Amino acid sequence: MIAGVMILGLHPSIALVYLLCIAATILCVVYGAINWNKGERAPDEDDQKWVADEDKLEEEL
Amino acid sequence: MEIPLLTLILVILYLVILGFLSYQGYRGTKTAADYMVAGRKIHPFVMAMSYGATFISTSAIVGFGGAAALFGMGLLWLTFLNIFVGIFIAFIFLGGRTRAMGHHLNAHTFPEFLGKRFDSKFIQIFSGLVILLFMPLYTGVVCMGAAKVIEVNLGAPYPVALFFFCGIVALYVTMGGLKGVMYTDALQGSIMFVGMVLLLFLTYSKLGGIVSGHTRLTELAPEAVKIFGKAGHQGWTQMPVFGTTFWWILVSSIIMGVGIGVLAQPQLVVRYMTVRSTRELNRAILMGGIFILAMTGVAFVVGALSNVIFFEDTGKISFLAANKAVDNIIPLYITNYMPTWLGSVIVVTLLAAAMSTVSSQFHAMGTAAGRDIYEACSGTPTGDKKSIIATRVGIILTLVLSFSLAYILPIKFEKAGIAIIARGTAIFFGLCASAFLPMYVGALYTRAITKAGAIAGSMTGFLVSAFWLLFIHQKESEALQLCQKLFGKPSLVTHLVDGKYAAIITGKIVWPEVDPLFVAFPLAIIVTIVVSLVTKRYASAHLDNCFHGIER
């Protein structure tokens, strides 16, 4: 026998976070979908140099 | 115990594919860095799976899943923080700036990034030392999680299981597994995703559906109260009573320590620098959110629900059915109650989860030894013979230290019913948050943090955490015994009651259970700000260089 209000079979404080997890995931999906093609830019000089040095570091490993 | 043939076949198949992909990556140009400028198209799915595999390890699934079997679904607050803070906030507010600043300053490791931003070799070397000395604890518990799975599923004694896993890791590392090859990480992430979704589906099916499963767990609350009621447990579908021992462990160590600490994880911060542009970060947010929900969300829900299944079968809740070995609960649940084929898939899932994280950890520890400590101290350039030796020595020493910890920790703490993997992870995450997070966020967002402010804040975070672990937080101070030897008591915040040391409690604060993060992190922020206000600021030229291309 369960006492008190239950949501999805859970105490409200846990039901809240259960739903918040799903809501946060939906937020990520919506944000990612809206900005799917935003922010693209060609590699600049900094990027080229960084990658060249990163390769050296990877070789060291 | 009979060794499941399917498990062996799947494990061998997984290792062969992994070996093939690593070898391909070793020979070719398939690292994240190569993709960034080579102009090749990489599917965002591959990118997101690769991130996820680094983020999530056996610690999250086995360790924190076991903790959920003990503490209940309150751990879902950590899942929420993982998604909202660890993915959404981190990628939007930290990712792009870290990438831009890191590339412009030509920084390749987290300590180097901090060192160059604050123009301080000390910060780079100090941060490298913190990683080198303390990350083995995190690596050790990740290895322990994998060995626990092998032990339970294949019926091998724990030392043999650990030795087997260590052998695979050592082979993987020497085969080029540290190169961060996109497709190996993506393969591991994909296996993890499929395995965990199947685990959730079959668990809910076994319990008659979502609401039915939750309701049955709620109805089991009296069992939790009977055993842990005095410590504040109210059942697995409620939070513990506010201000009790259970509440402090769950909220201060497990939820806050890991939920915030993830923002300053060295192996995750460097990931931001390997993306081509902000577009890839935006895309990774979409899939990363789903991935984390499928990993930690599933592990914590299944961990808590395992109590119903264990109880109905054995008359014992999960904690007791696993003989108080919290880290055995998830492997036992999978082996005993899931179909053999799923058990086999999950073993591979968890091996993948462990190996992807462990490889990124050894990457961080190896570069900390070679680049951040040796090269920064000696001024030797990257690729120099001595620097390569320093990197390799660093990797070998941390390998040995990590594996030794994975061997010793269960012997020392398992019988006390401690969630070793979750606690080991929380200690490292909390330490990173206190020592690094204030100066890291400050580095990206303000020109007002001075060199002295950054150093003072970081040292405060580190030293207060260390003091708290050695003398206040009883789980660690009691085990480390320094407090006992110096002051004759297990923690400074205990007092004698009827011949036994009991916790000093002030209102709702149970002092020996307050996590170091709760004290060290705010203090580190305050010290960073106060010292920055009264010390010399950087010249505009340095700041303009650091913030090149970043909007104010």
Side-chain angles (χ1 to χ4, degrees):
Chain A
M1 185 69 189
I2 304 172
V5 180
M6 291 290 145
I7 302 164
L8 294 169
L10 306 165
H11 186 271
S13 65
I14 299 297
L16 169 71
V17 69
Y18 191 92
L19 296 172
L20 270 177
C21 289
I22 296 168
T25 307
I26 294 170
L27 177 70
C28 288
V29 170
V30 171
Y31 181 90
I34 290 172
N35 295 290
W36 190 257
N37 283 320
K38 290 182 188 163
E40 165 70 340
R41 69 185 219 351
D44 59 16
E45 252 178 56
D46 286 344
D47 299 331
Q48 304 274 7
K49 178 163 178 15
W50 188 88
V51 168
D53 286 357
E54 181 72 2
D55 279 344
K56 274 190 214 160
L57 185 68
E58 298 263 308
E59 281 310 311
E60 186 167 301
L61 283 163
Chain B
M1 186 177 165
E2 191 188 332
I3 296 174
L5 183 66
L6 184 62
T7 306
L8 275 182
I9 293 171
L10 284 181
V11 168
I12 291 167
L13 188 67
Y14 160 71
L15 292 175
V16 168
I17 295 173
L18 194 64
F20 174 74
L21 288 175
S22 298
Y23 184 66
Q24 288 287 98
Y26 188 75
R27 288 181 56 205
T29 52
K30 291 184 177 65
T31 63
D34 294 321
Y35 274 108
M36 200 169 61
V37 289
R40 295 193 191 120
K41 292 221 173 193
I42 181 155
H43 198 282
F45 174 81
V46 174
M47 178 94 53
M49 288 298 116
S50 163
Y51 277 118
T54 307
F55 194 149
I56 299 298
S57 67
T58 40
S59 166
I61 300 167
V62 175
F64 286 79
L70 180 59
F71 294 98
M73 286 197 193
L75 256 92
L76 284 174
W77 282 106
L78 177 57
T79 299
F80 172 69
L81 287 179
N82 281 160
I83 300 169
F84 187 67
V85 177
I87 297 288
F88 191 75
I89 299 283
F91 279 45
I92 294 174
F93 294 103
L94 304 182
R97 281 179 178 245
T98 305
R99 182 196 173 283
M101 197 178 277
H103 282 203
H104 186 65
L105 296 175
N106 199 25
H108 297 263
T109 67
F110 186 43
E112 187 181 19
F113 174 84
L114 295 172
K116 286 191 169 171
R117 165 62 180 83
F118 291 108
D119 190 24
S120 164
K121 287 261 185 229
F122 176 83
I123 288 180
Q124 183 177 0
I125 294 165
F126 171 72
S127 307
L129 275 172
V130 170
I131 292 168
L132 198 63
L133 294 176
F134 294 93
M135 193 180 265
L137 173 64
Y138 180 29
T139 312
V141 293
V142 171
C143 293
M144 187 182 149
K148 284 281 173 195
V149 173
I150 297 168
E151 177 195 11
V152 173
N153 196 273
L154 298 184
Y158 179 75
V160 176
L162 183 64
F163 185 75
F164 173 70
F165 180 71
C166 293
I168 294 175
V169 170
L171 192 68
Y172 181 54
V173 166
T174 43
M175 279 178 68
L178 294 185
K179 283 191 74 179
V181 181
M182 277 289 207
Y183 279 102
T184 55
D185 282 350
L187 167 79
Q188 316 209 66
S190 307
I191 294 170
M192 288 157 67
F193 189 83
V194 171
M196 293 305 284
V197 169
L198 284 170
L199 180 65
L200 181 72
F201 180 75
L202 284 173
T203 301
Y204 272 136
S205 301
K206 217 172 167 64
L207 293 170
I210 295 173
V211 177
S212 161
H214 295 167
T215 306
R216 285 162 74 177
L217 183 62
T218 303
E219 286 170 344
L220 206 61
E223 290 299 319
V225 176
K226 198 164 74 188
I227 302 164
F228 304 115
K230 277 187 181 169
H233 210 315
Q234 302 192 91
W236 293 274
T237 56
Q238 280 197 61
M239 287 295 282
V241 178
F242 173 63
T244 57
T245 302
F246 259 51
W247 187 90
W248 276 103
I249 297 173
L250 179 62
V251 175
S252 83
S253 294
I254 294 180
I255 297 174
M256 299 304 284
V258 179
I260 294 175
V262 75
L263 291 176
Q265 282 298 295
Q267 74 280 16
L268 293 174
V269 171
V270 291
R271 282 273 171 183
Y272 300 139
M273 294 190 236
T274 59
V275 297
R276 189 178 155 87
S277 66
T278 314
R279 186 185 69 171
E280 275 65 38
L281 289 171
N282 292 336
R283 292 179 172 190
I285 289 171
L286 188 152
M287 296 198 195
I290 299 171
F291 188 82
I292 301 301
L293 182 72
M295 294 296 115
T296 67
V298 169
F300 303 164
V301 167
V302 169
L305 288 172
S306 72
N307 283 287
V308 179
I309 294 167
F310 272 115
F311 189 77
E312 288 178 0
D313 183 40
T314 66
K316 294 174 182 173
I317 62 167
S318 305
F319 179 68
L320 297 180
N323 288 323
K324 298 186 182 177
V326 179
D327 301 313
N328 279 4
I329 293 173
I330 293 291
L332 274 174
Y333 170 71
I334 291 163
T335 305
N336 292 345
Y337 302 113
M338 290 290 110
T340 313
W341 65 268
L342 181 67
S344 305
V345 171
I346 299 285
V347 169
V348 177
T349 298
L350 294 173
L351 276 182
M355 288 178 70
S356 53
T357 303
V358 163
S359 64
S360 71
Q361 289 170 328
F362 282 120
H363 188 291
M365 292 187 285
T367 51
R371 191 175 184 91
D372 298 319
I373 298 172
Y374 181 77
E375 287 176 20
C377 286
S378 64
T380 315
T382 304
D384 183 86
K385 225 176 180 181
K386 284 182 182 168
S387 173
I388 293 172
I389 291 170
T391 303
R392 286 184 184 166
V393 168
I395 290 175
I396 291 166
L397 287 181
T398 50
L399 259 169
V400 172
L401 184 57
S402 305
F403 295 159
S404 304
L405 284 169
Y407 178 73
I408 294 163
L409 289 174
I411 296 171
K412 225 167 152 43
F413 296 107
E414 199 157 78
K415 281 183 186 153
I418 294 174
I420 304 166
I421 298 176
R423 197 164 279 275
T425 306
I427 289 173
F428 181 69
F429 275 54
L431 190 65
C432 286
S434 303
F436 302 141
L437 193 53
M439 72 168 157
Y440 173 47
V441 174
L444 296 175
Y445 276 96
T446 170
R447 297 173 176 233
I449 306 288
T450 64
K451 187 188 285 190
I455 292 173
S458 181
M459 294 296 285
T460 301
F462 175 76
L463 292 173
V464 172
S465 295
F467 172 80
W468 211 263
L469 287 169
L470 287 169
F471 297 106
I472 305 288
H473 201 242
Q474 194 172 345
K475 289 279 190 313
E476 288 82 25
S477 66
E478 195 168 5
L480 297 167
Q481 296 196 340
L482 187 64
C483 191
Q484 185 70 42
K485 280 178 183 150
L486 291 178
F487 301 104
K489 46 164 100 175
S491 159
L492 289 179
V493 284
T494 54
H495 59 163
L496 268 177
V497 178
D498 299 329
K500 279 186 176 177
Y501 280 100
I504 292 177
I505 299 170
T506 315
K508 293 285 182 190
I509 304 172
V510 185
W511 285 104
E513 300 295 348
V514 176
D515 196 80
L517 174 95
F518 257 56
V519 182
F521 182 54
L523 275 176
I525 295 173
I526 292 167
V527 170
T528 305
I529 294 170
V530 171
V531 175
S532 293
L533 285 173
V534 296
T535 49
K536 193 183 159 201
R537 288 194 169 204
Y538 286 100
S540 299
H542 171 74
L543 293 170
D544 288 344
N545 184 41
C546 292
F547 284 88
H548 173 86
I550 297 174
E551 292 163 24
R552 278 207 192 189

